[in-house]
Amino acid sequence: SGDVPRLWIRRTVSSPPPRQFDHSYYVRYLVCMTELPSTDLHAAAFFLADHASVESGKVYANGAFWNRLNFPTYPTMVSFSVVAVIVVPWRAHHQIHRFTVAFEDADGAVIGGQFEGEFQVGTAFDHRVGDDSIVPLAMPVSNIVLERSGDYSAVLTIDGAEISRWRFGAVQYAAGPPTPPDSSHQGS
C-alpha cells in the first residue's frame, strides 16, 4: 500500500506547469451546457438490418448493424429494415410525437420517399415518477433504388428535430471471378 501514494506524489511533482487561462474554452462549455435540446426524446438505438420486427415490446433483428452494401452494377434496388428504439422521458408521456425516417444520398437529397408516423406513450401502472419509457419501431423498406455507389444515410426525426443518423455506403465490385494473369508472356 506504500507504493500507491508514492506514485501519486511522483505524478503530482512531475506534472507540467499550469497553462494560460483559456477563457474561450469555458465560454464554449457554458454555452453547450445551457442550450436546451429541441426535443426531450432520444434514440437508444437506430440501425439497419436485413430483417427486423417488434413483438411484445422487443426488437428481433437478423443481419443487423451493417453499414455497407456491395453490388456489381448500379442502379440497384434494395430491401431491408430500419430499427429505432426511442427513449421517451417522463415529462414527454401523454403527448403525441411525430416521427419521420428518410433516406438521403451524400448530397442530402431524399431518395426513395420516407416513413411518417406518430406515437403516444402512457404511464404504465408500475412506473415510478421520473421513469422513462421505451418505444421500439421496426419498419420494412422495400425497393429503394440506389442510383450509384456512394454514401447514404437513414435519418430519424422526431417532433421536427433530427435525433439520429445511420450512415451506410454502397460499393460497386467487379462481377465474376478474378482473371488469372496471362502465362504466355512469362520469361520473355
Side-chain angles (χ1 to χ4, degrees):
S1 67
D3 291 340
V4 175
R6 272 189 262 149
L7 289 173
W8 178 256
I9 292 170
R10 207 174 290 146
R11 286 183 190 157
T12 304
V13 171
S14 65
S15 63
R19 296 185 310 177
Q20 293 290 343
F21 180 72
D22 182 8
H23 181 72
S24 65
Y25 167 79
Y26 293 98
V27 169
R28 286 190 312 268
Y29 175 79
L30 290 174
V31 168
C32 173
M33 296 306 291
T34 57
E35 289 178 352
L36 295 174
S38 57
T39 182
D40 288 341
L41 288 75
H42 68 275
F46 182 63
F47 59 91
L48 304 179
D50 292 340
H51 173 265
S53 64
V54 174
E55 297 293 330
S56 301
K58 300 176 184 177
V59 174
Y60 294 89
N62 298 317
F65 289 97
W66 50 262
N67 66 351
R68 183 180 218 83
L69 295 169
N70 300 300
F71 293 102
T73 61
Y74 287 89
T76 190
M77 212 176 320
V78 294
S79 296
F80 50 86
S81 291
V82 178
V83 176
V85 180
I86 302 165
V87 178
V88 181
W90 174 266
R91 65 186 165 276
H93 286 183
H94 306 289
Q95 300 171 21
I96 295 175
H97 301 284
R98 288 170 181 77
F99 72 91
T100 304
V101 175
F103 301 94
E104 297 179 354
D105 63 13
D107 298 324
V110 176
I111 60 166
Q114 62 186 24
F115 295 99
E116 294 178 347
E118 55 186 39
F119 61 90
Q120 182 176 4
V121 177
T123 305
F125 72 93
D126 59 342
H127 267 166
R128 296 172 301 192
V129 173
D131 282 350
D132 296 339
S133 293
I134 293 179
V135 177
L137 302 169
M139 298 154 278
V141 179
S142 297
N143 304 326
I144 286 190
V145 176
L146 301 178
E147 293 294 332
R148 62 187 182 281
S149 62
D151 296 323
Y152 295 90
S153 295
V155 182
L156 174 62
T157 304
I158 297 182
D159 296 335
E162 179 181 320
I163 65 165
S164 193
R165 178 178 290 261
W166 183 267
R167 291 178 174 82
F168 62 99
V171 178
Q172 186 169 357
Y173 65 89
T179 308
D182 186 6
S183 61
S184 63
H185 298 294
Q186 289 181 339
S188 35

